[in-house]
Amino acid sequence: DAEITQSPRHKITETGRQVTLACHQTWNHNNMFWYRQDLGHGLRLIHYSYGVQDTNKGEVSDGYSVSRSNTEDLPLTLESAASSQTSVYFCASSPGQKETQYFGPGTRLLVL
Amino acid sequence: DAKTTQPPSMDCAEGRAANLPCNHSTISGNEYVYWYRQIHSQGPQYIIHGLKNNETNEMASLIITEDRKSSTLILPHATLRDTAVYYCIVRTGANNLFFGTGTRLTVIP
């Protein structure tokens, strides 16, 4: 069955290190999204992509970057991890801009 | 996207219908109502969405008032596995889903 996966599911890193979180979907969806979820804030959009080579900033993009070299993957990179980036990260995809978004299982990141 | 108002928590007896209300008084004509749920530590799960008409699928029913200012998600026979936070979202198709704080539904045995 088609699906969306994230890896790793849990990650502990140190302040200042570069970290990359993977997101892979097999639905052949054009749109992919990265959110973070923190207590008291719900889900907030970090970056999104409408297709290969397309990337856009979301509400909380500072300190994060993404690249889209193929349809299936949208890796999220924390250039220099900070303790404020400790969070749960969710990836999502949708066939088009007005279509339903489907979410991955999440990655719990702890920055020490 | 219009903002929504949901009760912070609700209880429901197992096997009974769970009716989760949502107010979206500022909704505009082209905004859809979406419902997602999030079971502890998992990714948000899509449930159902609608524009004007009531909708039903294998998971739930969505009842939208005629003026579209409020809606109700109905889980017809709640089970313990339906315990989750339920989010009501209105969107025009923009890229961002504003989840808010949702309703924490607890299904009681």
Side-chain angles (χ1 to χ4, degrees):
Chain A
D1 289 340
E3 61 179 356
I4 181 166
T5 58
Q6 294 183 234
S7 62
R9 296 295 312 280
H10 303 270
K11 175 77 175 178
I12 300 174
T13 190
E14 295 177 344
T15 301
R17 289 189 179 269
Q18 184 180 78
V19 177
T20 296
L21 308 183
C23 176
H24 179 80
Q25 53 96 4
T26 58
W27 286 306
N28 201 36
H29 286 172
N30 287 323
N31 297 354
M32 296 185 72
F33 309 84
W34 273 104
Y35 293 84
R36 61 177 288 175
Q37 185 173 33
D38 306 288
L39 284 176
H41 287 281
L43 276 80
R44 292 182 290 175
L45 184 66
I46 305 172
H47 281 286
Y48 59 99
S49 168
Y50 289 148
V52 176
Q53 302 301 330
D54 176 76
T55 62
N56 305 279
K57 294 182 178 180
E59 178 187 358
V60 290
S61 60
D62 287 348
Y64 303 94
S65 64
V66 293
S67 61
R68 189 87 180 273
S69 59
N70 58 53
T71 301
E72 297 79 17
D73 300 289
L74 186 70
L76 176 71
T77 297
L78 287 67
E79 304 294 345
S80 177
S83 58
S84 60
Q85 294 176 309
T86 292
S87 187
V88 182
Y89 291 86
F90 290 103
C91 178
S93 71
S94 69
Q97 291 188 36
K98 294 186 178 181
E99 303 289 335
T100 300
Q101 293 185 21
Y102 297 94
F103 286 78
T107 294
R108 290 185 174 273
L109 177 67
L110 174 61
V111 182
L112 299 174
Chain B
D1 294 346
K3 293 297 172 60
T4 61
T5 303
Q6 298 178 254
S9 64
M10 292 182 63
D11 292 339
C12 177
E14 188 178 17
R16 304 294 296 271
N19 297 280
L20 291 90
C22 179
N23 288 322
H24 31 78
S25 58
T26 60
I27 194 171
S28 59
N30 62 344
E31 289 186 316
Y32 284 78
V33 179
Y34 276 76
W35 283 84
Y36 281 79
R37 73 181 182 184
Q38 189 170 24
I39 298 170
H40 182 62
S41 298
Q42 298 182 20
Q45 178 188 22
Y46 166 77
I47 302 173
I48 198 167
H49 74 281
L51 182 63
K52 295 180 180 179
N53 299 321
N54 298 336
E55 302 287 344
T56 296
N57 63 20
E58 66 279 3
M59 289 183 66
S61 294
L62 174 60
I63 308 299
I64 303 173
T65 59
E66 191 170 346
D67 63 8
R68 302 208 329 117
K69 293 184 176 182
S70 65
S71 61
T72 301
L73 177 74
I74 301 173
L75 307 179
H77 305 287
T79 70
L80 298 179
R81 285 181 290 185
D82 291 322
T83 292
V85 178
Y86 287 77
Y87 297 96
C88 170
I89 301 160
V90 293
R91 62 183 298 210
T92 59
N95 51 71
N96 196 7
L97 292 177
F98 180 77
F99 275 75
T101 54
T103 295
R104 183 173 297 278
L105 174 69
T106 302
V107 179
I108 301 169

